[in-house]
Amino acid sequence: MERYVLSLDEGTTSARAIIFDRESNIIGLGQYEFPQHYPKPGWVEHNPEEIWDAQFRAIKTALERAKVEPDQIAAIGVTNQRETTIVFDRDGKPLYNAIVWQCRRTAEMVEEIKREYGNVIKEKTGLVPDAYFSASKLKWLLDNVPGLREKAEKGEVLFGTVDTFLIYRLTGEHVTDYSNASRTMLFNIKKLDWDDELLKIFGIPEGILPEVRESSEVYGYTKKELLGAEIPVSGDAGDQQAALFGQAGFETGMVKATYGTGSFILANTGKTVRYSDNLLTTIAWGLNGKVTYALEGSIFVTGAAVQWLRDGIKIIKKASETEELATKLESNEGVYFVPAFVGLGAPYWDQFARGLIIGITRGTGREHLARATLEAIAYLTRDVIEEMEKLVGIKELRVDGGATANDFLMQFQADILNRRVVRPVVKETTALGAAYLAGLAVDYWESLEEIESLWKAEKVFEPGMDEGTRRKLYHGWKEAVKRAMGWAKVVGSP
C-alpha cells in the first residue's frame, strides 16, 4: 500500500491541508478561508472554532482529491501562524477568540514592560519586546476575560499557539514544539524551558502552558472518530521555521524569505545563539536531541499591502495585476509606499509607525502605486538582510510564498539586494517542511541528506542593476521610512 504524509498548514487567512509523496510531489490539497474579526481599531481576532472547521474541511478535501484513505497516511505534520494566542478548556472548547499575531491591543502594556525588563526578555528569549508575541496577549486574556484567571489558577484553562490547539483537538495531547514556544516571549531559548521570571513578569500561571517537545517526534495519535484511523501526529513547527526546513536550509548561513501576509526572513545560525539589536533570535527546530537556532526578521505587512490595493482602494482586481502594472514604468518615478499599517517590525520595531505614500505628483497613477508596493516588499527584505549580514555570511536568498510567482518582484529583489534569488520547484515549502519533520519521526524519510537531494530550483534571478541606481533607490526608501515612523504618536491614532 502506497503511503503519504499529510501536512496541516494553518495560516492567518486560510487553513490548508496538503498530501505529499516520497518525492515531495503534491498529490492532494484542500484550502478554506476563515473570517478575520476586527472588534476595535488595531485589534485582530479569529474564532478558533472557525479555524478548526476550515482545517478539518481542508483535511477531508485533500484526502478526497488525492484519492487516499486515512490509513495510507504515515504521519501528520502541523505548521501554523505563530504567536496567535488561544485559551481553551480541557474539552478543547475555546474560552475566547484567538488574539492574532497582528493585534496591537497590548502595545502600551508592552512599552511599559519593555522599559523595565526589555534587556532581560531579549537575553532569555531572543525577542525584542513587542505586542506581536504571545505573552502580552495571554496576560490581556487573563486580566480581561471575566473569571478566566480564576479558572486558570484551578487548572481549568489551557493555553496554546495554533499548533497546540490543533494537536489537542486531533490527539488530546497538550504540547508544542521548541520553535513555537520560542515565539511566546515566555520561553528561555538557552535552557529550553518556560522561564519562571518571565512568567512572573507577565502574571502567567505555569499550569496552563503546554509541554515543549522537539519538532520531529510522535506527540500522539489522531482520535479514531475524527478520520477513521489513528495516525501519528509527529511534526510541529512555526510556519517560518517550517519554511526554512522545507527549503533544505540546514547549513549555517542559509537564508530563506517567505512572502505571505507579512514577510519573514530566517538565517540558520546553527548551534550558536546569535544576538542582534534589531533582529529576533529564535529556535529554528529541535531534532535528534539538538537545537538549531536562527536569526529572524519579521516584516508585518507585505502581501497585505497588495490585498489593500485590491480590497481597500480597489485599484486592482487580483494580485497578479501588480506585475503587469509595475512593468509599464521604467522606474518608480520617485514614488515610495511604506506599508506600516500596524507599525514596522524588523529592523525598526516602531509600533507607532503608520502607512505612507510619498512622492505623489499629478502624473501619479495605478502603475506607480502597484510598483511602489512591490518595491516596498523588496526594500523591507533588504533592510532585514543587511542586519543579518553583520552576523552571518549570506550568498543567496531562497524564496517561497505566493508573491514569488511575481517575476518583477523577484528580479527587483535580486537587484536591490545584489544577491542571487532562487525560487524552488515546490513553492509550498512551509507545508513541505512540516511534512519532512513528521516523516523523519516515523522513518518515512531517512535523513536530512535525503531531503536535501529532493530540493530543486525552478528559477534563479541574478542581480543586474548598476550600483549607482541601487544606492539611489535604497536611499529614497530610507528617507520615506523616516517620515512614516512614530506617526501614530504625532496624531494620537490607534
Side-chain angles (χ1 to χ4, degrees):
M1 181 173 64
E2 193 65 46
R3 307 270 278 169
Y4 306 95
V5 175
L6 169 63
S7 185
L8 310 187
D9 182 0
E10 197 295 306
T12 306
T13 57
S14 71
R16 300 192 299 167
I18 303 178
I19 298 173
F20 294 96
D21 67 13
R22 285 180 202 280
E23 284 71 49
S24 308
N25 299 309
I26 294 171
I27 65 158
L29 187 152
Q31 177 171 0
Y32 294 95
E33 293 191 354
F34 51 84
Q36 313 290 299
H37 302 284
Y38 306 101
K40 294 183 181 180
W43 291 31
V44 190
E45 295 180 357
H46 293 149
N47 181 334
E49 292 291 357
E50 290 170 344
I51 292 176
W52 169 253
D53 181 60
Q55 189 64 78
F56 193 70
R57 288 166 63 206
I59 293 169
K60 302 289 271 186
T61 299
L63 289 167
E64 286 166 13
R65 289 179 176 165
K67 297 183 172 59
V68 165
E69 294 299 320
D71 59 5
Q72 289 179 264
I73 300 298
I76 296 175
V78 177
T79 183
N80 54 289
Q81 53 164 315
R82 304 169 305 168
E83 299 91 23
T84 294
T85 299
I86 304 177
V87 285
F88 50 98
D89 65 20
R90 293 192 174 275
D91 293 326
K93 181 184 174 186
L95 298 171
Y96 193 81
N97 271 354
I99 302 185
V100 180
W101 60 272
Q102 298 161 314
C103 186
R104 310 310 295 170
R105 77 184 65 185
T106 59
E108 297 288 353
M109 178 206 300
V110 173
E111 285 297 302
E112 285 182 32
I113 290 171
K114 186 177 180 178
R115 278 192 284 275
E116 190 169 352
Y117 299 108
N119 292 336
V120 171
I121 291 170
K122 176 80 171 176
E123 176 64 27
K124 288 173 180 271
T125 70
L127 306 177
V128 175
D130 192 271
Y132 173 34
F133 305 108
S134 312
S136 65
K137 302 178 194 299
L138 182 52
K139 176 174 168 53
W140 187 93
L141 287 164
L142 291 168
D143 290 347
N144 289 277
V145 177
L148 188 65
R149 186 172 287 281
E150 291 75 14
K151 284 182 182 174
E153 300 290 355
K154 290 180 193 170
E156 297 171 1
V157 175
L158 301 176
F159 152 74
T161 42
V162 177
D163 61 309
T164 298
F165 176 68
L166 293 177
I167 293 171
Y168 194 83
R169 279 291 184 91
L170 289 167
T171 70
E173 299 293 332
H174 186 216
V175 299
T176 191
D177 89 303
Y178 289 139
S179 72
N180 279 295
S182 76
R183 311 299 297 186
T184 61
M185 217 158 68
L186 297 170
F187 189 75
N188 190 310
I189 62 171
K190 293 176 182 172
K191 294 181 179 176
L192 302 180
D193 203 357
W194 301 114
D195 190 275
D196 290 340
E197 185 180 5
L198 297 178
L199 296 180
K200 190 174 178 183
I201 289 168
F202 287 96
I204 309 297
E206 188 170 3
I208 72 175
L209 302 172
E211 181 187 354
V212 187
R213 309 266 289 273
E214 289 197 352
S215 309
S216 178
E217 61 174 278
V218 177
Y219 311 113
Y221 296 82
T222 57
K223 299 167 187 171
K224 196 160 187 180
E225 65 268 22
L226 287 175
L227 297 169
E230 294 180 350
I231 306 165
V233 178
S234 54
D236 182 19
D239 52 9
Q240 304 314 318
Q241 291 96 327
L244 182 62
F245 203 86
Q247 288 274 29
F250 307 139
E251 300 298 320
T252 301
M254 296 189 79
V255 182
K256 73 88 200 173
T258 297
Y259 301 78
T261 305
S263 285
F264 300 87
I265 301 101
L266 262 71
N268 185 326
T269 64
K271 305 298 177 276
T272 307
V273 180
R274 295 189 187 276
Y275 289 100
S276 160
D277 289 341
N278 300 313
L279 299 176
L280 309 179
T281 302
T282 198
I283 295 177
W285 49 76
L287 186 66
N288 300 327
K290 296 175 184 173
V291 167
T292 296
Y293 293 93
L295 283 170
E296 175 173 336
S298 309
I299 303 166
F300 297 153
V301 172
T302 53
V306 177
Q307 290 171 342
W308 179 72
L309 297 182
R310 183 191 68 193
D311 304 332
I313 59 174
K314 300 183 182 352
I315 65 167
I316 57 172
K317 288 196 171 72
K318 53 187 179 180
S320 57
E321 287 177 44
T322 55
E323 182 171 5
E324 182 187 348
L325 287 167
T327 53
K328 287 182 178 178
L329 299 173
E330 290 296 318
S331 75
N332 64 16
E333 296 181 3
V335 177
Y336 288 85
F337 174 23
V338 183
F341 298 158
V342 292
L344 286 169
Y348 303 104
W349 297 107
D350 184 347
Q351 302 194 76
F352 303 100
R354 288 297 178 265
L356 172 147
I357 301 169
I358 197 165
I360 297 171
T361 67
R362 185 61 186 83
T364 301
R366 288 198 312 151
E367 296 89 348
H368 297 82
L369 294 184
R371 185 172 181 126
T373 303
L374 296 179
E375 288 189 356
I377 295 171
Y379 293 133
L380 285 160
T381 303
R382 174 171 165 176
D383 289 340
V384 168
I385 287 180
E386 285 208 338
E387 291 290 322
M388 287 179 168
E389 286 186 313
K390 295 173 183 176
L391 295 169
V392 63
I394 296 169
K395 291 191 176 73
E396 68 178 25
L397 178 67
R398 293 187 175 184
V399 297
D400 54 77
T404 61
N406 189 312
D407 281 3
F408 171 84
L409 171 58
M410 292 298 98
Q411 185 57 55
F412 189 78
Q413 187 70 83
D415 286 341
I416 209 68
L417 275 181
N418 199 25
R419 291 282 184 283
R420 181 192 311 127
V421 169
V422 186
R423 186 168 66 196
V425 171
V426 180
K427 296 176 184 63
E428 301 289 354
T429 54
T430 301
L432 185 57
Y436 284 153
L437 288 164
L440 284 168
V442 298
D443 297 324
Y444 185 83
W445 288 289
E446 290 183 3
S447 65
L448 295 182
E449 289 74 25
E450 181 184 358
I451 289 171
E452 210 164 13
S453 73
L454 296 171
W455 188 90
K456 301 282 189 301
E458 181 258 320
K459 187 168 182 179
V460 177
F461 297 86
E462 297 283 357
M465 183 181 285
D466 68 87
E467 185 55 37
T469 303
R470 183 181 300 113
R471 193 181 300 114
K472 181 182 174 187
L473 285 171
Y474 192 57
H475 174 73
W477 164 254
K478 286 293 199 182
E479 290 298 316
V481 169
K482 282 182 195 172
R483 289 158 173 80
M485 290 177 76
W487 186 250
K489 277 186 173 176
V490 173
V491 298
S493 69

